[in-house]
Amino acid sequence: MSAAPSHKAGLFDCRDSFAATIEALAEADPRIVTVVSDSVGSSKLGGFRTKFPERMVNVGIAEQTLVAVGAGLANGGKVPFVSAASCFITGRALEQVKADIAYSNVNVKLIGQSSGVAYGELGPTHHSIEDLAWLRLFNNLKLIVPADPWQTAEAIKAAAAYDGPVFVRVSRMAVPALERPEGARFEIGKAETLVEGTDATIIANGTMVHRGVAAAKTLAAEGISARVVNMATVNPLDEDAITAAIATGAIVTVEEHSVRGGLGGAIAEVVATTEPVPMRILGFPGFVPTGSAEWLFDHFGLNETGIADAVRQTVARKK
């Protein structure tokens, strides 16, 4: 049986959504297996292990082996979901991700758990703020950073349905469920506009999306109309959504990642080569200190106040 969802005061742990979804998919598709690196608990896969003990491979703390085993299972016709802490499944196993997964173009689903600075108190060795920059180099590897429980479930379903390599970045940090219109759908490579606006566009993903929405409400009260776009797919990017953001004349990106090479860098590449407009990239400037995730967000301005300030400054630069 799956672990009960972890939620408090309307906040949810997206790992619960991942676990429930993968169990449901496995019920319907016997090809689905999981591979873990002594991370059953942190991946919330205890229920999967109970239901499908013969369909879980635990390689121990050996992430290079973890990825290689996933590639082998895919070559044998399985659909492996390879789950481990994002900092280790990328940093320790980057060569295997490059050669065994991306270059070989195998049908493996990499799940980077507890991403960003969710392991804040464990320090920079456990922070995962470089993972997207590394993985963006592999053009055929789909990169998805869901923002809430619903989008996490939809991303896992989409990953399972897609024939090819996918990386899904899942946070352990509690986030609210976002408000969406009836009939909302998730599609790899398509962004969603959560708030309409004309003066600037906030483009965010993952744990930063609800903070972007809060910042837009603050700005609206002072007469600044800020669009909020949830760019859950980092590769491929939704270039139509970026074109629409350019039309507002100012762009602020915000991510739980380094300011180098992640969502902001990817969007800046498009903006710079199409129609440059004033732009600001919010994220972590480099290695960050040990401390709780919320403290780190506040310290580096990755909160409602910091995002709103960045939008004001970027709007002021418009011609």
Side-chain angles (χ1 to χ4, degrees):
M1 186 173 180
S2 299
S6 305
H7 56 82
K8 181 179 180 181
L11 300 178
F12 301 85
D13 184 336
C14 291
R15 294 175 301 166
D16 292 316
S17 186
F18 157 72
T21 305
I22 196 67
E23 286 181 35
L25 289 170
E27 290 276 9
D29 187 347
R31 300 175 303 154
I32 289 179
V33 296
T34 57
V35 190
V36 296
S37 56
D38 199 26
S39 54
V40 176
S42 60
S43 295
K44 297 290 188 96
L45 287 172
F48 188 99
R49 179 175 59 184
T50 298
K51 286 185 177 181
F52 313 106
E54 75 288 355
R55 290 161 65 181
M56 173 179 281
V57 180
N58 191 339
V59 303
I61 303 175
E63 284 78 8
Q64 293 172 324
T65 302
L66 173 87
V67 174
V69 167
L73 288 166
N75 284 327
K78 301 298 184 183
V79 181
F81 280 75
V82 178
S83 182
S86 192
C87 57
F88 301 135
I89 200 174
T90 56
R92 287 182 180 169
L94 190 60
E95 182 181 0
Q96 284 68 33
V97 173
K98 173 186 174 180
D100 298 345
I101 306 300
Y103 177 73
S104 301
N105 199 37
V106 294
N107 192 29
V108 171
K109 320 305 171 184
L110 300 169
I111 310 299
Q113 302 279 6
S114 303
S115 54
V117 294
Y119 283 134
E121 293 86 350
L122 297 180
T125 59
H126 283 62
H127 296 161
S128 187
I129 60 173
E130 310 88 2
D131 50 356
L132 297 176
W134 291 332
L135 299 181
R136 277 189 60 225
L137 295 172
F138 309 135
N139 66 297
N140 63 323
L141 178 60
K142 308 301 184 190
L143 303 180
I144 308 173
V145 187
D148 69 351
W150 175 84
Q151 193 166 60
T152 300
E154 294 303 303
I156 295 302
K157 293 174 190 175
Y162 175 74
D163 184 15
V166 181
F167 175 83
V168 183
R169 195 181 200 240
V170 180
S171 178
R172 70 191 294 127
M173 293 186 59
V175 293
L178 297 167
E179 293 183 9
R180 292 182 174 85
E182 186 94 18
R185 295 175 61 250
F186 172 79
E187 182 180 344
I188 295 174
K190 294 296 181 183
E192 62 174 347
T193 299
L194 298 172
V195 179
E196 293 290 352
T198 56
D199 295 327
T201 302
I202 299 167
I203 305 179
N205 61 16
T207 59
M208 293 295 112
V209 175
H210 73 273
R211 292 172 169 85
V213 171
K217 291 179 180 177
T218 295
L219 292 163
E222 48 192 79
I224 298 175
S225 174
R227 176 181 298 166
V228 181
V229 174
N230 174 15
M231 190 73 72
T233 308
V234 178
N235 185 40
L237 287 171
D238 186 341
E239 295 197 9
D240 289 340
I242 298 173
T243 299
I246 290 171
T248 66
I251 298 173
V252 172
T253 66
V254 55
E255 59 195 305
E256 189 186 352
H257 188 272
S258 169
V259 294
R260 297 171 179 83
L263 174 68
I267 291 171
E269 290 169 9
V270 178
V271 173
T273 54
T274 52
E275 186 178 349
V277 296
M279 183 173 170
R280 180 85 175 271
I281 298 173
L282 296 184
F284 296 111
F287 290 120
V288 296
T290 300
S292 72
E294 289 298 334
W295 180 83
L296 290 169
F297 291 157
D298 290 343
H299 183 72
F300 289 101
L302 300 179
N303 54 23
E304 176 184 341
T305 301
I307 297 168
D309 283 344
V311 171
R312 293 185 194 99
Q313 294 164 14
T314 308
V315 168
R317 293 165 50 206
K318 291 171 67 172
K319 295 180 180 178

